Amino acid sequence: MTDQAPAADSGSPDIPGKPTSASRTTLSHIMTHNDTNLLGTVHGGVIMKLVDDAAGAVAGRHSGGPAVTASMDEMAFLEPVRVGDLVHVKAQVNWTGRTSMEVGVRVLAERWNESAPATQVGSAYLVFAAVDADGKPRRVPPVLPETERDKRRYQEAQIRRTHRLARRRAIMDLREKRAAEGFED
């Protein structure tokens, strides 16, 4: 149900694959009072922007050019982030299709003035589409998982993609059925 064969047999001899580590990145940012919500913790939208920024950098690196956010799903906020936290957003390409990529992101936070280890405070999966200068989809290199963890992430990404496509198909079928029954939404 994927639009690309597994990494070992990519089916893209014209575009050489890239290892997962080639585009992996970490974006770090210290949280200030400007980042807070009405509860005094860091606004979820600030974290989501950092997630999108890091994922976009990874998608652009992997695809070798511009890539745009197509969707963000499974954004989970596990712990609140506070003013003074140093936030690290770690991102990597988990899976690639012909023109799209799933980027997995982990968000960690640590106190700026303490030596305690960082704690995971969030995670997300984003889908990016590589585009050319005219905004049209362009091919991306296959991702080549390097470790057992990368291979697991690749397989899990395929499952998420299957679910995204099935959900989209079910919604479109429902809309067509309602339209045929005379309902206007």
Side-chain angles (χ1 to χ4, degrees):
M1 194 73 183
T2 64
D3 65 347
Q4 179 178 321
D9 180 25
S10 69
S12 299
D14 55 330
I15 302 176
K18 288 186 178 179
T20 308
S21 62
S23 58
R24 190 177 289 141
T25 194
T26 300
L27 172 73
S28 296
H29 187 79
I30 193 158
M31 298 291 109
T32 68
H33 287 288
N34 292 335
D35 301 316
T36 59
N37 58 26
L38 296 175
L39 298 175
T41 57
V42 172
H43 195 288
V46 170
I47 301 298
M48 291 173 75
K49 180 175 183 336
L50 294 173
V51 164
D52 191 46
D53 288 347
V58 165
R61 280 180 172 183
H62 183 83
S63 69
V68 296
T69 310
S71 70
M72 175 187 274
D73 56 59
E74 296 187 41
M75 179 74 213
F77 297 99
L78 306 172
E79 298 284 337
V81 177
R82 301 172 292 159
V83 169
D85 281 353
L86 181 57
V87 172
H88 308 285
V89 183
K90 297 177 177 279
Q92 75 171 48
V93 173
N94 290 334
W95 176 89
T96 53
R98 285 187 302 269
T99 62
S100 64
M101 301 156 275
E102 184 196 89
V103 178
V105 180
R106 286 183 346 153
V107 183
L108 302 132
E110 62 181 304
R111 295 305 294 166
W112 69 274
N113 60 348
E114 296 176 8
S115 60
T119 303
Q120 185 171 351
V121 295
S123 65
Y125 299 101
L126 296 87
V127 176
F128 279 79
V131 295
D132 63 18
D134 297 321
K136 303 288 184 205
R138 63 181 174 80
R139 297 289 306 260
V140 299
V143 67
L144 304 174
E146 298 172 278
T147 67
E148 286 304 314
R149 179 181 284 177
D150 293 340
K151 291 173 187 172
R152 175 186 53 80
R153 288 177 176 165
Y154 185 91
Q155 292 170 330
E156 290 173 357
Q158 289 178 304
I159 293 167
R160 282 186 292 275
R161 181 174 188 277
T162 299
H163 285 235
R164 279 191 293 270
L165 293 174
R167 182 177 59 234
R168 183 183 317 153
R169 197 169 28 257
I171 289 170
M172 295 309 295
D173 289 349
L174 177 62
R175 289 179 181 177
E176 287 175 15
K177 179 182 174 204
R178 289 181 54 80
E181 293 171 350
F183 293 103
E184 290 187 34
D185 289 334

